[in-house]
Amino acid sequence: MSLRLRAAVVIAKRRIFESFLNPGYYIAQAVGLLLSYILISGFVSSIDSSGLNYMLHPLYEFIGRLLSGAFGITFLEKLFAEGPFQFVSYVSFVPIFIYLSFSTVFRFSLEKKVGAIELLAYGPVDGTSCFLAFYIKDIILTIFYLLFLILFLIMAALLNNLVLGPAFLYTLVVTFFMAMLLYSISILASVLTDSGASAMVLYIGIILFLLIVIMGSFTIGSAYVRSFSSVLSWLINWFSPFFYWGLALSFLEVGNMLAYFLILLVMMVLSGLFLFLSHQVIKIRGVRP
Amino acid sequence: MKGLLVFFFIFILIGPIVADVPVREEQFIYSIMAFNGRDYSRTFCGENSDTIYLIADQDNFITTSKTLVYYWPITGDWKTDTRSLNYSFEGTLELTEKRRESRIIYPERYTFYNVKGEYEQNWKVAMGDEADKAWQHYQGLIDEYWQATYQYEQAKMAFDLMVDELAMKITEMRNDGIDVTGLVEKLKRLGPPESPKPPDDYIVPPMPVQSAFILNLPRGEYNICFINEDSAVMESSEKRVVVFEKRRADGIGFEVIPGDKWTRPVESKRSSSVLYVNGTTDLYLRPFFQDEYNDLYYQRMIRNDAKGNPSLMNWVYIQQVPGGRIEVTKNNHTSAILVEEPFYVEQTKGSALGYKIVPFDPEGAHKDRDPSLIAFKIPITRETSLIKFELLDNSGLNMAGSSRQVRVIIKSRWQPILLVLCLLPLLVMTVVRMIRSRKYSL
């Protein structure tokens, strides 16, 4: 193991330990699981003699109207074809993702600004090992959460005679890889800027922009939005985690597993590329703005 | 001032009573008769739409006209008022494929029809003289039928007359005390003439021969414009044509009809689909073949102003699977083979509204009626938590992509465990913080 990687692992361990001592990680987990619980209970209450009836539960009526209005009935049918768990996994992943990536962006930028990283850099570590530590921490904590989420959902499935569905695990894996890619973008955002606030704005801006583009290409509402979004897609799809997420799921749908795993590989490579870019940036700009 | 107030109130009151009349706008339109995989659907592409969607390698018929177009807010779609204005144009269609030379398409005479076969889909398209022949053949059949009907009416009248005369004669003779046995026997032997059957060669008979531009194109994007008799491009006639094809074919879908809502079937289109039910009623299944198309393209082909998702593929019903069987496994233990059965929907007697689906009894209660439903019945009870089924073909082999599962939702009384699990991270957090505070407190 290289010295830089060893340093990154050691710092990551400390960061993970810190996260376990702080309430944020637990609260994000609890919020995610609570959302799962609400969605699963709502789904169970929305079942009648012919299947899922969105009108039976106010939450599902809202979800049904919102999603079918924005993305069409086919989108809704596909999302709930195997049961609630695909949708639940996305929704319950959001709080932990927001907590981890935002805290990374903010903490790293802040530590960079106040000179904490510079202080470390006088020792055996450099800026790259510091941001790598954040990246490793985010990944490890995400894995912890996902494992707990799977256990929770299995329990929920057993108690309600539901089934996780054949695509559930694959979906979760894609979500994890997408998160990896987003974490690397969060690091790039924090090395590109000089303060926590500007890093946060940049990161949120990137995420929102990519989200709007992907949602625009899925929308059924306006042809103008769709065509504008498709033009934008051509330009930015190649580094959009959401695009690869959609692509992997479409390959999964047709059973092309080779292409599915290839997309995961591409996501990993892209994540590595963002980290390499961050490395180059921090090398040029230094660890103190 | 008073008069003004009265006028104002009358205006306010009358406002909602007078219905909004949709504004009709004169537009150049393409009328499209597009093959949708199972039959032909009619739509139009007006000036507010820039693209026509068609399935690849199928005959699609396009005509041009000037008509009135209006938006109908009740159904939320655009409609044409061809009664008020329907002016057809003479001319040609210029079709251009990207990076290729354009070609001119001339209108052709055509008709199409669906002939009887094992499957529902036997669409035939006849063009030019063939179209005339097909139409004449159908007309010949119809003429024959009408002739036979006329002859039948004549024979029936003669028969009725004969029966009346004979009956009258029998009555008179009986009144005179004469033996009528022979005449009664003769009356009994008399059989009514058989009514002719309408021609059943066609499921959908040929339509009268018409003229249209026939587009049968490979997948791709094209541009079209209409060139009138003066060799000028007609205003608003330039459109994009998206020709698409199915991504996957011959998938198996199921129409699932719950016993208590037989008029509201649901479709199970994906092999990974799980059907969750509450177990209060039996399910009736009708398997069908399905093809997978781009959602937006397919919807727009059916109705040019429809909404659809451009990034998703959707399975589309093509035709019912003939002569299959279903293998059902309950709770992973017992398995049984089901065959298609006819059922009849009976209105519930008494004050309670509703109906029940009963097996069709052609000899008894449902004599001279048609079954309401031909389907596979899957009995569902609250005790059967898991039912798996798959479709078998005529030779007993399971058909790919036809397996499904039905799960009866049973809400467990152990639900609070889930809530405790949700709060477990907070519990761990409290413990960790307590340990920390004890460790570092004096």
Side-chain angles (χ1 to χ4, degrees), chain B residues 61-184:
Chain B
F61 312 101
I62 292 183
T63 53
T64 55
S65 61
K66 187 146 258 187
T67 188
L68 297 179
V69 175
Y70 61 98
Y71 182 71
W72 187 239
I74 295 167
T75 51
D77 55 1
W78 290 87
K79 290 184 179 297
T80 52
D81 179 7
T82 47
R83 282 191 178 190
S84 306
L85 177 69
N86 190 12
Y87 182 77
S88 301
F89 294 102
E90 297 289 320
T92 55
L93 204 66
E94 189 181 88
L95 180 92
T96 317
E97 195 179 352
K98 271 183 186 172
R99 291 184 290 276
R100 285 198 187 175
E101 272 187 28
S102 58
R103 59 182 158 122
I104 299 294
I105 295 170
Y106 295 94
E108 279 187 78
R109 280 165 32 253
Y110 78 97
T111 187
F112 59 82
Y113 50 93
N114 194 340
V115 292
K116 219 173 178 180
E118 189 189 354
Y119 296 94
E120 294 159 27
Q121 259 197 67
N122 281 296
W123 285 99
K124 309 266 183 212
V125 173
M127 287 180 253
D129 293 342
E130 287 295 315
D132 290 325
K133 272 185 201 164
W135 174 244
Q136 276 160 15
H137 175 69
Y138 173 64
Q139 285 294 28
L141 288 175
I142 292 292
D143 287 348
E144 265 176 38
Y145 171 66
W146 283 120
Q147 214 164 352
T149 306
Y150 176 73
Q151 281 167 1
Y152 164 74
E153 292 293 334
Q154 299 287 324
K156 181 86 171 42
M157 268 171 63
F159 170 76
D160 289 344
L161 208 67
M162 197 191 287
V163 168
D164 286 350
E165 275 174 11
L166 214 54
M168 216 180 286
K169 203 170 176 185
I170 289 169
T171 315
E172 279 172 11
M173 283 169 74
R174 194 172 279 158
N175 289 344
D176 295 343
I178 305 168
D179 181 29
V180 291
T181 322
L183 283 176
V184 169

Side-chain angles (χ1 to χ4, degrees), chain B residues 298-318:
Chain B
Y298 193 83
Q299 299 297 339
R300 287 273 168 96
M301 182 196 57
I302 301 281
R303 213 190 77 206
N304 196 264
D305 61 334
K307 286 180 175 176
N309 197 313
S311 307
L312 293 179
M313 294 284 178
N314 194 19
W315 288 102
V316 176
Y317 179 105
I318 298 296

Side-chain angles (χ1 to χ4, degrees), chain A:
Chain A
M1 197 189 286
S2 78
L3 210 63
R4 179 180 284 148
L5 203 59
R6 187 187 291 269
V9 171
V10 171
I11 301 169
K13 275 184 193 166
R14 296 302 308 166
R15 298 270 180 215
I16 291 167
F17 184 64
E18 260 177 44
S19 298
F20 282 133
L21 296 181
N22 287 322
Y25 183 58
Y26 299 106
I27 291 170
Q29 270 191 333
V31 172
L33 295 174
L34 214 58
L35 284 173
S36 307
Y37 174 75
I38 292 166
L39 287 171
I40 293 166
S41 317
F43 181 86
V44 170
S45 306
S46 305
I47 298 297
D48 69 4
S49 61
S50 59
L52 179 60
N53 182 351
Y54 297 96
M55 295 300 158
L56 292 180
H57 194 274
L59 177 66
Y60 270 79
E61 190 187 350
F62 172 72
I63 291 168
R65 280 179 196 278
L66 183 78
L67 295 180
S68 63
F71 307 120
I73 196 75
T74 307
F75 179 85
L76 195 66
E77 277 176 11
K78 285 193 173 192
L79 191 61
F80 289 102
E82 292 181 13
F85 294 109
Q86 204 174 342
F87 181 63
V88 165
S89 68
Y90 296 140
V91 172
S92 59
F93 188 67
V94 172
I96 206 80
F97 166 74
I98 288 177
Y99 167 72
L100 289 173
S101 60
F102 283 23
S103 67
T104 293
V105 171
F106 193 74
R107 276 289 296 276
F108 187 73
S109 303
L110 188 75
E111 287 179 10
K112 199 159 61 105
K113 194 178 181 188
V114 297
I117 300 207
E118 189 188 20
L119 197 68
L120 283 172
Y122 281 118
V125 297
D126 61 355
T128 305
S129 41
C130 283
F131 72 64
L132 273 181
F134 274 103
Y135 185 67
I136 293 167
K137 174 211 77 172
D138 287 349
I139 288 172
I140 301 285
L141 291 181
T142 304
I143 291 171
F144 274 142
Y145 174 68
L146 287 181
L147 289 176
F148 191 56
L149 181 70
I150 291 170
L151 276 177
F152 175 80
L153 296 182
I154 288 172
M155 190 76 118
L158 287 174
L159 285 175
N160 293 298
N161 194 30
L162 301 169
V163 64
L164 290 182
F168 170 75
L169 274 178
Y170 290 108
T171 309
L172 214 59
V173 170
V174 181
T175 310
F176 171 70
F177 276 80
M178 184 178 75
M180 268 173 68
L181 198 44
L182 286 166
Y183 292 146
S184 59
I185 293 175
S186 76
I187 285 165
L188 185 62
S190 53
V191 297
L192 278 172
T193 48
D194 292 339
S195 69
S198 52
M200 201 71 123
V201 168
L202 179 65
Y203 182 58
I204 293 172
I206 292 171
I207 299 282
L208 283 180
F209 178 65
L210 296 177
L211 261 178
I212 287 168
V213 170
I214 189 89
M215 282 164 76
S217 66
F218 271 88
T219 189
I220 61 161
S222 159
Y224 174 73
V225 171
R226 207 166 44 235
S227 50
F228 181 68
S229 171
S230 62
V231 171
L232 271 180
S233 300
W234 271 106
L235 302 171
I236 60 138
N237 268 348
W238 312 110
F239 64 89
S240 168
F242 303 114
F243 167 71
Y244 289 108
W245 163 79
L247 207 58
L249 289 186
S250 63
F251 284 130
L252 183 66
E253 192 187 355
V254 293
N256 189 346
M257 298 316 288
L258 184 71
Y260 169 84
F261 285 112
L262 210 65
I263 293 295
L264 296 187
L265 190 72
V266 170
M267 283 165 114
M268 271 178 77
V269 170
L270 208 60
S271 187
L273 194 73
F274 283 127
L275 291 177
F276 178 72
L277 267 175
S278 307
H279 166 70
Q280 291 300 326
V281 171
I282 214 160
K283 216 162 87 176
I284 295 163
R285 297 189 74 199
V287 288
R288 180 114 198 219

